[in-house]
Amino acid sequence: MYSLILATATRLLIPLMLIFSIFLLIRGHNEPGGGFVGGLVAGAAFTLYAAVYGVSQAQNALRFDPKRIVAVGLLVALVSGLLAFFQGLPLMTGLWHPEPIPVIGKVGTPLLFDVGVYLVVIGITATIMFTLFEVEGE
């Protein structure tokens, strides 16, 4: 069932939801938020898109296979933990760039780990929701 009002609202909400998810991701390494919550908001955006326009359109909008997004996220999180280990420090020790970056703040391996979690959550949420929508459509 197609709803013009929901489709119009979705076109306005998706960019806002994705921007808000990135805000939560960046804010999360210093304040409440982070990769998990930001990933859920981004996953909800693609779920809304799939509910309105269909799974195939949502997969095109996502541009990458959700399972590959999960794999890349796991790799990013693993690399963030191993960077300290390769420098002779305990695994998952936070390493920080000496100068803060405007708008983002201090950048280090905790932010990199949050990016990995963000990607994993987007990929898992999209995989689950796309599968549920496809089963529902049969």
Side-chain angles (χ1 to χ4, degrees):
M1 180 176 104
Y2 181 79
S3 167
L4 180 62
I5 295 172
L6 184 59
T8 304
T10 299
R11 278 193 304 237
L12 297 173
L13 282 175
I14 297 294
L16 293 174
M17 290 175 77
L18 293 175
I19 290 169
F20 184 61
S21 76
I22 292 171
F23 167 76
L24 287 172
L25 169 67
I26 292 172
R27 180 178 180 253
H29 69 284
N30 289 328
E31 301 285 336
F36 185 78
V37 177
L40 284 178
V41 172
F46 288 108
T47 300
L48 177 62
Y49 196 88
V52 173
Y53 296 107
V55 173
S56 62
Q57 293 278 2
Q59 288 173 334
N60 289 338
L62 191 55
R63 298 199 182 184
F64 297 102
D65 179 36
K67 292 176 182 99
R68 288 187 184 199
I69 294 173
V70 171
V72 169
L74 287 172
L75 183 64
V76 169
L78 178 68
V79 166
S80 75
L82 290 177
L83 286 175
F85 183 73
F86 289 137
Q87 292 185 3
L89 298 169
L91 187 67
M92 300 291 290
T93 299
L95 302 174
W96 300 96
H97 188 271
E99 297 295 321
I101 295 176
V103 178
I104 296 176
K106 293 176 74 175
V107 176
T109 55
L111 178 61
L112 189 61
F113 182 79
D114 270 348
V115 169
V117 171
Y118 179 82
L119 293 173
V120 168
V121 172
I122 289 174
I124 288 175
T125 304
T127 300
I128 291 170
M129 295 313 295
F130 291 171
T131 304
L132 288 175
F133 282 132
E134 286 174 350
V135 169
E136 182 182 296
E138 291 178 356

